[in-house]
Each structure stands twice: as C-alpha cells, then as structure tokens.
Amino acid sequence: MKSIFILGASRLQVPAIIKAKEKGLYVYVLDYDSNAVGIKYADKFLEISTIDKEAVYNAAVTLNPDYIITSTSDMPVRTVSWVNQKLGKASDISYEGSIFATDKVVMLRRMQECGVPIPEFYEITKFSEFLDVTRKMANKFILKPADNSASRGVILIDKNKNPDLEEIYRYSMQYSRSGKALVEEYMTGPEVSVESYTVNGEPNIITITDKMVTEQPFFVEIGHTEPSRLSIEQQEEIKKVAEDAIRAIGMCNGPNHTEIKMTPNGAKLVEIAARLGGDFITSRLVPLSTGVDMIECSFSTLLNEKVCYQNTLSRGSAIRFIQGEKGILSGIEGIEEAKKMPGVQEVELYMKPGESIKRLENSSDRVGHIIAIGKDADEADYNVTNALRKIKINIL
Ligand SMILES: Nc1ncnc2c1ncn2[C@@H]1O[C@H](COP(=O)(O)OP(=O)(O)O)[C@@H](O)[C@H]1O
Ligand SMILES: [Mg+2]
C-alpha cells in the first residue's frame, strides 16, 4: 500500500485527507495541534508542526512515504517543496518558487521583475522605516505582514483619521513571522480570486470568483460567488494577470489561487498562492459551479494520471459566512429553515453556545457559513442571501 504525508489537519484540509483515503493510500496527517479536526479521517497522526522542515524531513526519512503534500495552507507549501526537493521527489513547485508564493515581499519583487502589475509597495522591518514610508503614501494605504494569511494583520490606514501609527504597526507586526511587513498602495475596485490548475508549466484557468470583504479597516472575506459577474473584457485581463503571475513563480504542476483587484488602472495582483483556494472555494464552490474537482486534479498529478481540469458544468455557486456581534454566543436560530431554502447545499457552524465571538478582524472570527447554488451566479447569490436572512445569532 502506498502512503502519503498530508501536512495540516485543519477543517480546510479534510477534503484532501478524505480523497487520499478514497485513493487507497495510507494517510499520515501532520499537525502541531493534536486536536485538529482532520486527524480522525487519517490512518495515523504525527504531532509535527507543518512549518518545521527538518522535523517533517526526518519523519519522511523514517516512514518513507511515497508522497508528501499539503492542500490549502500557505506555510506548509514551503515545507513540502523543501522536503520533496531534498528527497529527490517530484514537487508542484521548487523551493525557491514556494518562497515567491509565500513571502509577499519576495513575491512582489518577483512580479516586478516579470512585469506583472502590482500595487506600489515598500518593505519595512522597523517602526522608523514605517514612519518614513507613510510620508510617501497617499492618504489611504495598506499595512500587512509579509507572511501570514486569512487577512490576519492586514489593515487599511487613513491619514485623515489621525491614526495611532504605533498601535497599528504593533497590531499588524504581531502577525509577521519573519518580522517583515509591507506598506502598499490602497487599490480600489472589485476583487476576485482565480482558481487554476497548471499542467507541465501551462496554467489552465478554471474559474473566476467574485469576493466580498468586510468594511474597512479590516478585510475579512465574508462571501464568494462564482462565476464572476465582471465584464468579459475585465475577465480576460484578470486571466492574463493570473497566468503571468503563475509563470512568474515557476509553477510546474498543481493548483493556484490568485487574488486580483480590478482597479481603475487595470487588473493588479494582490497575492498568489501555490495551493488550492481556501474558504471552501476549491473544495465546494468550484465543483458545484464548474464540475471540476481540483483536489482530484492534485491526486491525478501525484499518481501520474490524466488531469481532468475541464469544466463539465455551468452553474452558479456562492458562500456567505455567518457573522455575529461581539459577545458570548447564546444561541443560533433558523438553521433548519435555512437548510430548506432553494439551492442551499449546506449550513455549517464553527462555534457552539457559550463560546465568545470576537470583533471580526480575520477569518477565524467567523461563526459559520452557508453554501447555495443557482442556475447562474445571480441566482446562487439570491439563494444564499435569502438563506442567510433566516439565521439569527443571539448574544449574551
Ligand atoms: N494593496 C491593497 N489594496 C487594497 N486592498 C488590499 C491590498 N492588499 C490587501 N488588500 C485586501 O486585504 C485582503 C487580504 O490581503 P492579502 O494580501 O490577500 O492577505 P492574506 O494573505 O491574509 O489573504 C485582500 O483580499 C484585499 O481585500
Ligand atoms: Mg489573500
């Protein structure tokens, strides 16, 4: 029996763990968290941090897995490519490429080199540098850690609002693993993500998804709808930016999740990831709207089978995240009613009564989600919005 290491056992990794089992593999999951929800689906749990390259390598030398992968998490992408490279195994992307895809400073420099449109940006590592850079920026600009995800530490600063720059700097930097952060031009306009699958260096765009984010100053993703409702011309421009970014990081095989803003000056890259999109985009929305199972694609690459990335369906799908006011969750009403609404595929909650709901600052502060389909994006949007209206979050 062939075996696989899957790095990460969080909720978003579960579909890949289940798929690996379906493929008849012996599945080891690795996570620093011995309570991770994905553990129960695997054959064996290894309590190893997914960012500890040496520890993952040592475990691989001992247990000799046939394959080493991750699914939707960012940092393990580096570990996977490093360990695969060291063991002489095939990898979706080189270790150097994995840094392009996970360190936003290196990523933007690489994009600049390759002529991919990006916002104006500055790297900072000290508060004094931050202060210097802020003087160069327009009234509104972005501060973000170089190497985190799920919108942790990403914040819009408005000079007109007399911001406490020191406090904001500390807030954002707490999420920087390397101590590096970026100050970026604030890009306006609609935002999308592009899901694609690269085969032998050739990117194939599967779909474009419209993204909804919260009110400023934080940018929490609160919904996604696909296919995108932007104009064909805008979508063509977005595809070009995504393809150029995928080539720039040197993707060989596998999925990319690319985030792009359609600004008044054209499509510009927010970031690119060398992995599946999170937020149930690739695990749920893409298959519901296009028929493409990107997790299956990943396993096809891994097992040397034909990769089926072509769309077989043309429908709309949408997710909306359930949010609550700050406080102690005392109850949630309307779940069963929401589940019965037209088009609804699932209603999931991440919190139980008694748990505390925080101010919505990043993805982990969300309470749950609803996914719905429709004949097109408008209908999916309509269906999911109606279902969301049935949910009432009670706070103590
Ligand atoms: N330069 C920018 N201009 C406008 N919005 C931005 C900019 N950078 C980030 N954002 C917003 O913040 C969100 C999170 O930023 P991102 O760089 O994607 O970080 P993460 O890795 O945490 O997802 C983006 O999806 C976008 O909505
Ligand atoms: Mg992002």
Side-chain angles (χ1 to χ4, degrees), residues 244-375:
D244 288 350
I246 293 165
R247 291 203 171 90
I249 62 168
M251 195 72 192
C252 307
N253 284 292
N256 287 102
H257 173 75
T258 310
E259 295 174 346
I260 292 174
K261 289 277 273 187
M262 195 63 228
T263 79
N265 303 318
K268 290 188 187 178
L269 185 79
V270 176
E271 62 161 346
I272 179 166
R275 55 164 172 79
L276 294 167
D279 263 4
F280 305 93
I281 295 177
T282 32
S283 60
R284 302 289 284 133
L285 298 191
V286 171
L288 286 170
S289 109
T290 68
V292 179
D293 180 345
M294 292 184 69
I295 300 171
E296 179 76 30
C297 291
S298 290
F299 279 90
S300 300
T301 297
L302 205 62
L303 306 176
N304 235 335
E305 294 165 358
K306 186 172 178 291
V307 184
C308 300
Y309 54 78
Q310 285 88 0
N311 293 15
T312 55
L313 279 177
S314 173
R315 286 199 298 216
S317 63
I319 186 168
R320 292 292 176 273
F321 291 93
I322 302 169
Q323 306 165 54
E325 295 296 315
K326 190 170 168 228
I328 305 291
L329 180 62
S330 61
I332 302 169
E333 294 170 43
I335 301 287
E336 290 313 312
E337 243 181 304
K339 281 185 181 163
K340 291 191 202 113
M341 296 292 286
V344 170
Q345 301 293 298
E346 67 182 43
V347 180
E348 249 204 63
L349 296 169
Y350 318 144
M351 288 188 187
K352 288 193 281 297
E355 289 186 48
S356 64
I357 303 181
K358 292 196 288 186
R359 181 170 71 151
L360 196 63
E361 287 182 15
N362 63 58
S363 300
S364 53
D365 304 327
R366 301 176 303 198
V367 178
H369 71 246
I370 301 180
I371 292 174
I373 55 168
K375 64 177 186 314

Side-chain angles (χ1 to χ4, degrees), residues 166-228:
E166 200 163 346
E167 190 190 323
I168 292 171
Y169 177 81
R170 244 184 286 124
Y171 169 79
S172 188
M173 268 299 186
Q174 70 178 312
Y175 294 107
S176 173
R177 296 185 169 96
S178 58
K180 291 196 292 185
L182 291 116
V183 169
E184 285 182 11
E185 162 199 343
Y186 174 53
M187 300 184 281
T188 56
E191 183 171 354
V192 296
S193 68
V194 181
E195 308 315 313
S196 64
Y197 200 89
T198 296
V199 180
N200 297 328
E202 209 37 57
N204 302 285
I205 306 291
I206 294 166
T207 193
I208 304 178
T209 306
D210 290 330
K211 181 195 292 243
M212 292 163 67
V213 293
T214 43
E215 291 303 307
Q216 301 147 359
F218 303 110
F219 294 90
V220 188
E221 299 180 17
I222 50 171
H224 304 279
T225 306
E226 57 181 65
S228 171

Side-chain angles (χ1 to χ4, degrees), residues 190 208 230-239 262 267:
I208 304 178
L230 293 179
S231 71
I232 300 292
E233 294 75 33
Q234 287 177 320
Q235 294 196 38
E236 286 308 315
E237 194 183 330
I238 287 165
K239 282 184 192 170
M262 195 63 228

